[in-house]
Amino acid sequence: MPKSAASKSKQSSPPPPPPSPHNKKKASGTTFSLLDKSKKNLDILQGLVLHKEVISSQFENELISFIQSQCTKGRSGQLKKPTYLRSAGARSQGNQREALQYGGFFDFNKARPGKRGLVPDFPPIVQKLVNHLIDEGYLDKEVRPDSCIINQYGKGDCIPPHVDHESYYRPISTLSLLGEEPMLVGTKFQTVKSCTWKPTVGTSVALPRRSLLLLGGNSGNVSKHCISSCRGERISITLRKQPGPDWRPSLDELAKSGGGKKRKRDAAATSTANDYNNDDDGGGGDGAKKKKKALSGSAKRRKKMMKLKGITTTLPESGQGDASVRQQQQQQQHQQQMTQSQSSSNGEKTSTKKRSSDTQAKRNARRLERKQKQQQPIQNNV
């Protein structure tokens, strides 16, 4: 073939098509393994994968700037609950961790998905992050996240050992920004002090900046994970795919968080399961013992009034509530009214007899007076 023809043929051949981002191979990362003898040598870290440098430094700075601006709005009241939450009160034990929620509401009190529509959809920058992680092969597009919790930790902040609710699809992914803190993963933990733990059956996984940790398989379903007291500032973005809109908590789960007698728990569980998406969220945690329910302000006032009237009341047992107090007070009021009615009835009988005798005496006096007047003219005539 002539040289000119060869060069012409080479120029006319089309370039190879660029690889489609959806056809990209799944990224490989660092995997872990640990056999738990107490669970018949189960590999409790199966499914735990760590990817490093999944985003650029520039994109990390953009995410940090957005998150810190949203937390500033939350502290000033411009961002309302439950989109912005902050640990506070006696239960926080000095933990001031801040949280932002997008896509799906997570009920921290009940540790399960909450009512839909309470938090806004993904902001553009979070949507950009999800697209990037799927396009680069770190996340599977079949399990595309639609729920996001962003945690901003300060020095000394933590999150206790827990397993994410079973209704969320696995794997669960966590992107680490700003600081480098280890995540503890295992089945047994020892509490060293407040907000500090160490795994007795498990491991510590260092999480560098811009790293993505995937919790799937046994690591996401069997093992617990936590962040012990932070040495400095840290931000984590947890991405999950939430259950469908028709999802409801099981009756057993509702019974565990309800407290009280089993029959009452079952009834409450059935009612809550039917109307779950119409109820406000709040209340106890899994397996926690319920403290004695405090009286409401109106119940306290009724109790005080009954005490002033001489009617003693007993505090309701755990789970009875104001209805029990009102029932007891009504019974005692009824007994007191019956006693007063009987005593007043006896007094009325006595006073009635006295009035009748007085009236009869007056009648007799008037009759005697009339007889005397009638007798005077006869005597005068005589």
Side-chain angles (χ1 to χ4, degrees), residues 325-339:
V325 176
R326 287 196 295 270
Q327 186 177 2
Q328 292 177 4
Q329 291 174 353
Q330 289 173 359
Q331 290 176 355
Q332 292 174 354
Q333 282 180 343
H334 180 69
Q335 292 176 357
Q336 188 185 43
Q337 289 173 358
M338 290 295 294
T339 304

Side-chain angles (χ1 to χ4, degrees), residues 292 295 303 306 311-317 320-321 324-326 328-329 332:
K292 186 176 287 186
L295 295 177
K303 182 184 173 186
M306 294 303 103
I311 302 176
T312 58
T313 59
T314 56
L315 289 174
E317 296 296 331
Q320 286 182 347
S324 176
V325 176
R326 287 196 295 270
Q328 292 177 4
Q329 291 174 353
Q332 292 174 354

